[in-house]
Amino acid sequence: MIEQMIQTVGWTLLQAAILMLLAPFIQGLIKKLKAGLQSRIGPRIFQSYYDIIKSLKKDAVISEQVSWLTKVTPYITFTSVITAGLLVPTFIANAPLSFAGDVIMVVYLLGLARFFTALTALDAGSSFGGMGSSREMALGAIIEPALLLALFTVCLSSGTTKLGQIVQIIAEKQWNLIDPSYGLALLAMLTVVIAEIGRIPVDNPDTHLELTMIHEGMLLEYSGRYLGLMMWAAQIKQLVMLNLFISTFFPWGIAFNWSGKGLTAAIFIYLLKLVALGIVLAFIETAYAKIRLFKVPKLLASSMALSVLAVIMRVVM
């Protein structure tokens, strides 16, 4: 019992460290790949680490008009996305906190981070914060149902909402890649992932223009260590969503135990899948321009329609 508890605590700390250390690298990799596709030099791959460290070293400048919520939200947001990441498998099927929740818990934890971020954006009373908050909550009301529908397609095929069991069942069944329901669910989930992490064509994380920014508009009142935590949390959330996409649709190569040989291969395959998905995101951002804000609900509605069709096909076929 004690050995099992020690192993659980160690695995929890290891995956938390993986999320915190790997998230800025994935962010830098996508930016570098995107710059290469656009014939630009772009920032260094490790630039995201330097930006976070620089912000964490600085003191925060806070308006006198804000409440305690502004100071607490960065820690709540950071904790929420880390907890959600501990529910999602990486290179081992059983996530550290898999016993405490399922895919619905992951969606609710990400929604909790969104709620506090949007609420704090209203705390300072700035026009940009209110604009970003209203846009974030309006899109979040569509993103969360679309995400759940896309995940329910996989859950229906597996007969469970536990991510560890879903990964194991899909890996054993070898879900046919040319299955129409698989393709529809894959496209629906990819659309939702892009919207959830705020990338082109839904949002542009590299801009501060009033007409285009959504998530960045809620962070303009932050500075110093609070801004560093919010930036870090956004990058971890991006990695969590990529892990969720990989584990539910491409779980092959994942390890089911702690054996040395299988674990080494699983880590390599996991990193390879992350890089491949980063290339796909960079290509999408290069090939498409940001769509107008009022067209984003139509894009997410199409994702929901694809998920519904995938569910119908799984039931009928």
Side-chain angles (χ1 to χ4, degrees):
M1 185 66 180
I2 297 178
E3 292 181 358
Q4 184 178 3
M5 185 181 292
I6 294 175
Q7 184 178 2
T8 302
V9 173
W11 173 218
T12 302
L13 294 176
L14 177 60
Q15 178 148 333
I18 291 173
L19 292 172
M20 291 188 291
L21 296 177
L22 190 59
F25 175 78
I26 297 300
Q27 177 75 357
L29 178 65
I30 294 175
K31 286 186 176 182
K32 192 66 176 180
L33 291 171
K34 180 181 175 182
L37 291 172
Q38 297 175 352
S39 299
R40 298 186 291 109
I41 297 177
R44 293 172 293 181
I45 293 181
F46 299 102
Q47 185 61 45
S48 297
Y49 293 99
Y50 303 142
D51 293 339
I52 292 175
I53 294 173
K54 181 179 67 175
S55 297
L56 292 176
K57 287 181 178 180
K58 293 183 177 180
D59 292 332
V61 179
I62 302 177
S63 172
E64 296 179 354
Q65 310 300 324
V66 300
S67 65
W68 57 270
L69 193 62
T70 299
K71 299 179 181 180
V72 173
T73 294
Y75 300 100
I76 296 177
T77 303
F78 191 84
T79 304
S80 297
V81 296
I82 283 289
T83 306
L86 295 177
L87 290 166
V88 180
T90 52
F91 50 85
I92 295 184
N94 292 323
L97 299 184
S98 59
F99 62 89
D102 51 9
V103 294
I104 300 176
M105 178 65 73
V106 173
V107 175
Y108 272 95
L109 285 171
L110 297 178
L112 180 66
R114 175 185 291 110
F115 170 76
F116 275 97
T117 303
L119 189 63
T120 306
L122 300 173
D123 199 20
S126 66
S127 58
F128 280 102
M131 177 197 65
S133 177
S134 62
R135 291 178 177 180
E136 178 74 12
M137 295 309 294
L139 295 181
I142 311 174
I143 290 175
E144 290 178 7
L147 177 59
L148 284 172
L149 271 176
L151 291 173
F152 283 163
T153 306
V154 184
C155 295
L156 184 63
S157 176
S158 306
T160 179
T161 58
K162 293 286 187 179
L163 283 170
Q165 298 178 16
I166 290 174
V167 169
Q168 186 171 359
I169 292 173
I170 293 178
E172 291 177 352
K173 284 185 176 180
Q174 295 291 322
W175 197 359
N176 192 357
L177 294 177
I178 62 174
D179 188 345
S181 64
Y182 179 91
L184 292 174
L186 179 65
L187 290 176
M189 185 64 180
L190 181 60
T191 303
V192 174
V193 168
I194 293 174
E196 182 69 20
I197 63 180
R199 306 204 69 91
I200 293 175
V202 176
D203 190 13
N204 188 354
D206 299 325
T207 184
H208 286 83
L209 297 177
E210 178 182 358
L211 296 177
T212 59
M213 64 181 178
I214 300 176
H215 182 264
E216 294 298 320
M218 299 185 293
L219 305 183
L220 292 179
E221 294 297 326
Y222 279 110
S223 63
R225 61 181 180 275
Y226 296 136
L227 178 61
L229 281 175
M230 295 299 286
M231 291 168 52
W232 203 359
Q235 295 171 11
I236 294 174
K237 178 182 177 181
Q238 176 178 257
L239 180 58
V240 171
M241 291 301 301
L242 298 183
N243 288 339
L244 185 62
F245 180 79
I246 290 172
S247 61
T248 51
F249 288 94
F250 300 99
W252 301 285
I254 197 169
F256 297 102
N257 52 58
W258 287 90
S259 62
K261 184 178 180 180
L263 188 62
T264 303
I267 294 174
F268 176 77
I269 295 174
Y270 166 69
L271 294 176
L272 192 63
K273 289 187 286 188
L274 272 181
V275 172
L277 189 53
I279 295 174
V280 171
L281 292 178
F283 178 79
I284 292 174
E285 292 198 3
T286 305
Y288 294 91
K290 184 185 180 302
I291 62 177
R292 294 183 178 181
L293 187 64
F294 66 86
K295 290 186 177 181
V296 175
K298 296 181 181 179
L299 178 65
L300 295 174
S302 65
S303 172
M304 297 175 67
L306 290 175
S307 298
V308 172
L309 288 175
V311 170
I312 294 174
M313 285 185 176
R314 294 304 300 175
V315 173
V316 173
M317 298 175 61

